[in-house]
Structures are given as C-alpha cells and as structure tokens.
Amino acid sequence: MVFVLLTAKIAFAATDGMTDLKLIAAGITTDKIASRSIFLTPLQIILPWLLSKQTAGPKPLNVFLWAYPYRIVMGLVFAVLVYWTPSFREDNGEFPYLYYAIWIGAYYLHQVSSYCIFLSMMAFNAQISDPKIGGTYMTLLNTLNNLGGNWPVTLFLSITDFFNKKNCIAKGTQTILGVCSSKHDEELCKAGGDVCEFVVDGYYISVAICTAVGLLWFRVFYHRVQYFQQIPRQDWRVIKSK
C-alpha cells in the first residue's frame, strides 16, 4: 500500500510540475493562468455529490482506476496544447480568447480526473483508517499520498534540463554558432545579441517518460489496487477488535 501511494502519481509529475512554467515561458501571464481556477468552483461542488454513491460504497477505488488512464491522456493533451501555444500568439504578443477557451476546457477536463482520483483515495483512506487512534491513521495515509505527488515533481524539475538541447542561432540568420544548453552558454549567446533556440525540449521528453511509467504502473498495479478493496476493513486496523 505504501509503495502504491508513493508511486501512483509519477505519471502526472511532468504535467503537474512544468506545464504552467512552459506557458509562462511562452508568454502567458500568471494572472491568466491563475484565473482558470475560477471556473472550477462548480466542479468542486458537484463532483463529490455525483461520486458519493461510488466513493461511499465498498469499492471506492474503482473511481481511481477509471480516472487514472484518463488523467494520463489529459497529460498528453496538455503537452500538445503547450506545443501549439506559440502558433496562437498574435503580432502584439497577446493570445486570442479562443486560445484561452480551449485551455479552460482542457483544464476543466483534466481536473475532473484529478478530483476523481483525489476523492477516491480520500474515501478509501477514510474507510480503512482505525477510528480508535483518531485522525493519526488518516493523516499518515494522506501524508504518504501527498508525498507521492510531490517527490516525482521535484525529481523531474531537477532532471528535465538534462534532456534539453539548444543551439545558439546568429541573429537574423539560420547559422548555428554553437550549443547553448547550459544556463551559462545561453547567457553568453544572448549577450552577443543572438538567439538560443530549442532543438529538443526536455519537457516533452519528461511527459513521454511519465506517460510510459504511468501506463506500466497501471498495468502492474491494477489488480493490486482491486485487491486492496477486497481486504476486510477490520484487517487494516492497528488495534484489533476482540
């Protein structure tokens, strides 16, 4: 169970940790990115009610298993939208309302899967937590769950730069002056008035790695997650009832 909690969210690390950074680099302002959350309020109210029958039943993790591959797919959708973002940029540096509408729609669909996974795991943790030790059991499970979502993001933020490959292009030409993959080389390139352009963007490689790991994880642990639900709830207790 601990291993599942610590590894389940590797599949989403690149998408969750770097997508907004790529949008900012592409010219999207932080206030525009933050404004997406405004549209999530109805979802946060309605979705728990819609899923209450499933999450309150004996197999709440079925929702998790349904939403998991869907969220992986949405990670790929995000990567495609990030790739297309520069093509939407207008001459004045702004982006049309159509672009924001597309992103809000994609973000909304992504959050449906994210909330489904969150609600499913919270419901299961609540069911198996030992009531005799208060919220300690529940807190431990949620801490492991949160840790499982944070350490992969930190890892991929650290290693993605190693996947990047950039060339220094002479200004106004297509002449390659050299490689500027490192921060120091990029600064030297820009200091000379030239342009440091991506040849290989590590973000997409990271998304591909996370997607592959996620699909493998889902295949390996699908039946294990199903098995967790078959274990009698009293067997999860720390203090056994006599």
Side-chain angles (χ1 to χ4, degrees):
M1 179 67 175
V2 172
F3 187 78
V4 168
L5 291 174
L6 291 177
T7 58
K9 295 181 180 178
I10 295 176
F12 321 128
T15 300
D16 292 349
M18 290 184 285
T19 298
D20 287 350
L21 297 177
K22 295 298 295 183
L23 292 177
I24 293 172
I28 306 297
T29 58
T30 54
D31 61 307
K32 292 290 196 306
I33 294 175
S35 65
R36 297 175 308 188
S37 301
I38 298 174
F39 301 93
L40 295 179
T41 302
L43 179 66
Q44 294 170 338
I45 297 173
I46 295 173
L47 196 59
W49 175 70
L50 292 176
L51 295 176
S52 60
K53 185 176 181 180
Q54 287 76 22
T55 55
K59 295 184 177 181
L61 290 180
N62 283 353
V63 177
F64 171 90
L65 294 173
W66 168 80
Y68 194 89
Y70 171 57
R71 188 173 175 184
I72 292 176
V73 171
M74 289 309 302
L76 295 176
V77 172
F78 272 24
V80 172
L81 290 177
V82 168
Y83 181 78
W84 280 345
T85 292
S87 64
F88 281 93
R89 190 166 187 170
E90 298 175 341
D91 294 337
N92 59 2
E94 297 295 327
F95 291 85
Y97 289 114
L98 175 62
Y99 171 79
Y100 292 114
I102 293 173
W103 255 114
I104 290 172
Y107 187 69
Y108 204 89
L109 293 174
H110 173 268
Q111 289 304 108
V112 168
S113 61
S114 179
Y115 285 147
C116 284
I117 290 174
F118 172 76
L119 292 171
S120 175
M121 298 188 76
M122 286 290 289
F124 183 72
N125 290 346
Q127 289 184 13
I128 66 174
S129 295
D130 193 334
K132 293 184 179 180
I133 56 175
T136 305
Y137 201 143
M138 183 77 170
T139 301
L140 174 62
L141 293 173
N142 289 335
T143 299
L144 291 172
N145 189 24
N146 292 333
L147 181 61
N150 290 331
W151 78 261
V153 172
T154 302
L155 174 64
F156 277 92
L157 284 173
S158 302
I159 67 175
T160 296
D161 281 344
F162 293 104
F163 303 142
N164 289 332
K165 182 180 179 182
K166 300 178 183 178
N167 286 338
C168 185
I169 309 297
K171 186 177 181 180
T173 70
Q174 293 298 318
T175 304
I176 299 175
L177 302 177
V179 177
C180 56
S181 297
S182 68
K183 188 69 175 178
H184 176 68
D185 291 340
E186 182 177 354
E187 291 174 353
L188 289 177
C189 177
K190 292 181 178 179
D194 301 312
V195 181
C196 190
E197 293 184 350
F198 275 106
V199 178
V200 177
D201 192 333
Y203 167 74
Y204 302 105
I205 295 178
S206 293
V207 170
I209 293 173
C210 288
T211 300
V213 171
L215 293 174
L216 179 62
W217 187 96
F218 187 72
R219 180 179 179 85
V220 171
F221 289 102
Y222 179 88
H223 294 293
R224 174 62 60 177
V225 173
Q226 289 278 29
Y227 170 72
F228 289 155
Q229 301 182 111
Q230 298 172 7
I231 300 174
R233 297 298 186 257
Q234 60 269 20
D235 289 353
W236 294 93
R237 303 290 189 256
V238 176
I239 303 174
K240 305 297 183 181
S241 300
K242 295 182 180 180

